[in-house]
Amino acid sequence: MDRRELLQWMVAAGGLTAVNRLSATDLLAMGRDAHRAAAADVGRLILLDEYAAMTVMIAAEHIIPASATPGATQANVTAFIDTMLDGWYPPADRARFLRGIAELDGRSMGRFGEKFVTSTAAQQIALLETSDAEVVALRSTSDAAANDHWFAMLKYLTVWGYCTSE
């Protein structure tokens, strides 16, 4: 599947409320604009603090790991997510996302006695799989409820950021 096909799938899947009425072409253009804006502020995060950015970077890399092709980290997905959350998402969505990042840390402490960023890769993946299973369960009853889950936001933004990177 190429990037344009994946963006078309994202549109068909409903996406998130902030962008769910955009065409694949619009998603591509908007994503590329966000990457340019993030590149203009290299090293400067707007919304995410350093710890949240590290959490997002690690989680995004588990969602799209580097292999024979670059992963989410090389695609600068963390800066993309920061730019999109700050510039395009309403305050309630941003707050829900940030609460989710904190919740991920709390779950990690509860299960493993470690913060998410210092837990092992296997532990991190287990936590992300739990969050993904929650989204899948919500999707079986309500796409709207599933799209409101912070992990659905993270996964969507990760894929979008990856697909629109250079």
Side-chain angles (χ1 to χ4, degrees):
M1 179 178 289
D2 69 16
R3 291 177 188 209
R4 187 167 297 279
E5 286 177 278
L6 188 52
L7 287 169
Q8 288 170 336
W9 170 84
M10 290 170 67
V11 169
L16 299 173
T17 57
V19 294
N20 69 357
R21 288 181 168 53
L22 297 176
S23 69
T25 302
D26 291 338
L27 279 174
L28 180 62
M30 185 182 206
R32 291 211 167 135
D33 285 347
H35 276 289
R36 279 190 287 280
D41 289 326
V42 174
R44 182 180 155 264
L45 295 170
I46 305 162
L47 180 73
L48 300 173
D49 64 26
E50 187 177 328
Y51 187 80
M54 180 65 71
T55 302
V56 167
M57 183 184 74
I58 291 168
E61 189 64 26
H62 286 308
I63 293 168
I64 304 179
S67 60
T69 60
T73 303
Q74 290 87 0
N76 205 21
V77 165
T78 302
F80 172 86
I81 291 171
D82 182 65
T83 298
M84 291 306 300
L85 287 171
D86 181 65
W88 289 95
Y89 283 80
D93 288 346
R94 290 193 297 265
R96 183 173 51 255
F97 185 87
L98 294 173
R99 281 192 310 272
I101 296 297
E103 174 187 309
L104 183 63
D105 229 20
R107 286 181 177 190
S108 185
M109 289 297 293
R111 272 179 81 177
F112 307 117
E114 295 275 340
K115 290 185 174 196
F116 179 79
V117 300
T118 57
S119 60
T120 68
Q123 292 168 334
Q124 292 165 351
I125 291 168
L127 290 164
L128 295 173
E129 287 175 344
T130 297
S131 295
D132 196 41
E134 291 171 0
V135 173
V136 169
L138 285 169
R139 196 156 315 283
S140 70
T141 59
S142 166
D143 279 339
N147 289 342
D148 284 344
H149 194 287
W150 75 271
F151 186 75
M153 293 175 68
L154 173 66
K155 195 170 183 180
Y156 188 90
L157 287 167
T158 298
V159 172
W160 187 13
Y162 184 81
C163 288
T164 57
S165 68
E166 295 295 324

